[in-house]
């Protein structure tokens, strides 16, 4: 597919998730949760996770922010539900490399499915934080932290 057509398709995926975010609600009886804040853009969201026998059996989010942050969070919930903790961490690492542009080959990695729509943000440093916010919050929740901010020590990785 030509680059222009692919860009248009990816843009449509992001707009769709922004308009109709999946799993967009608070969760009762969550195993863990964390707040993500990106003061640069004003994005704020909470991610809830239900972990049973080391499997993320349910995940949801709620918050407000730009289209990229919301679409990325929505896609994240779709992507990790039903996966083992190990697989989720692996995906987190992949998405981090995808949005920062650290590994350009990932933009063609079929395993990432619609998450590849996020590859375009690597050209916009401000947007990288928007796209990775929900993923950082999800990882923080799994690691037992309750708040993550793009301006805090957690950002040490994405700055590299
Ligand atoms: Zn944003």
């Amino acid at each position: 597919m030509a680059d222009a057509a692919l860009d248009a398709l990816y843009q449509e995926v992001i707009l769709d998730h922004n308009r109709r975010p999946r799993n967009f609600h608070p969760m009762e009886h969550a195993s863990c949760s964390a707040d993500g804040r990106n003061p640069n853009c004003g994005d704020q969201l909470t991610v809830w996770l239900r972990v049973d026998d080391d499997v993320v059996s349910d995940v949801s989010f709620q918050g407000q922010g730009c289209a990229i942050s919301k679409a990325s969070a929505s896609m994240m919930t779709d992507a990790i539900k039903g996966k083992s903790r190990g697989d989720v961490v692996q995906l987190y690492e992949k998405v981090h490399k995808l949005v920062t542009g650290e590994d350009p080959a990932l933009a063609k990695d079929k395993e990432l499915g619609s998450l590849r729509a996020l590859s375009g943000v690597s050209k916009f440093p401000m947007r990288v934080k928007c796209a990775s916010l929900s993923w950082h919050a999800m990882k923080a929740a799994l690691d037992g932290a309750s708040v993550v901010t793009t301006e805090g020590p957690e950002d040490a990785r994405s700055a590299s």
Side-chain angles (χ1 to χ4, degrees):
M1 199 182 297
D3 278 1
L6 199 59
D7 280 351
L9 174 70
Y10 283 173
Q11 200 165 13
E12 186 49 45
V13 169
I14 286 171
L15 288 174
D16 177 59
H17 275 272
N18 179 51
R19 268 196 307 263
R20 299 185 299 120
R22 323 298 198 262
N23 308 297
F24 190 68
H25 55 80
M27 192 192 298
E28 272 184 68
H29 313 300
S31 310
C32 52
S33 68
D35 293 336
R37 295 178 197 146
N38 177 17
N40 276 320
C41 178
D43 309 317
Q44 279 192 358
L45 49 83
T46 305
V47 174
W48 289 269
L49 295 159
R50 168 102 208 150
V51 184
D52 292 309
D53 296 331
D54 226 37
V55 168
V56 175
S57 55
D58 202 9
V59 49
S60 69
F61 82 104
Q62 201 165 52
Q64 47 196 342
C66 65
I68 297 284
S69 68
K70 208 162 158 186
S72 179
S74 173
M75 283 189 256
M76 185 269 293
T77 61
D78 264 357
I80 70 167
K81 200 186 277 193
K83 282 195 163 65
S84 72
R85 183 187 278 260
D87 285 350
V88 168
V89 171
Q90 232 170 27
L91 188 61
Y92 163 87
E93 303 282 350
K94 261 193 177 183
V95 168
H96 189 265
K97 287 181 183 154
L98 175 78
V99 299
T100 56
E102 200 179 315
D103 184 354
L106 287 175
K108 292 186 164 55
D109 189 330
K110 288 197 165 62
E111 263 180 52
L112 287 171
S114 62
L115 290 169
R116 286 173 295 175
L118 296 172
S119 61
V121 303
S122 62
K123 288 174 236 154
F124 309 97
M126 292 288 286
R127 289 296 178 206
V128 171
K129 293 180 176 181
C130 300
S132 55
L133 183 65
S134 58
W135 292 83
H136 282 306
M138 176 274 288
K139 180 72 165 35
L142 281 179
D143 291 343
S146 57
V147 181
V148 62
T149 164
T150 55
E151 302 310 297
E154 283 289 327
D155 196 38
R157 293 191 64 238
S158 45
S160 65

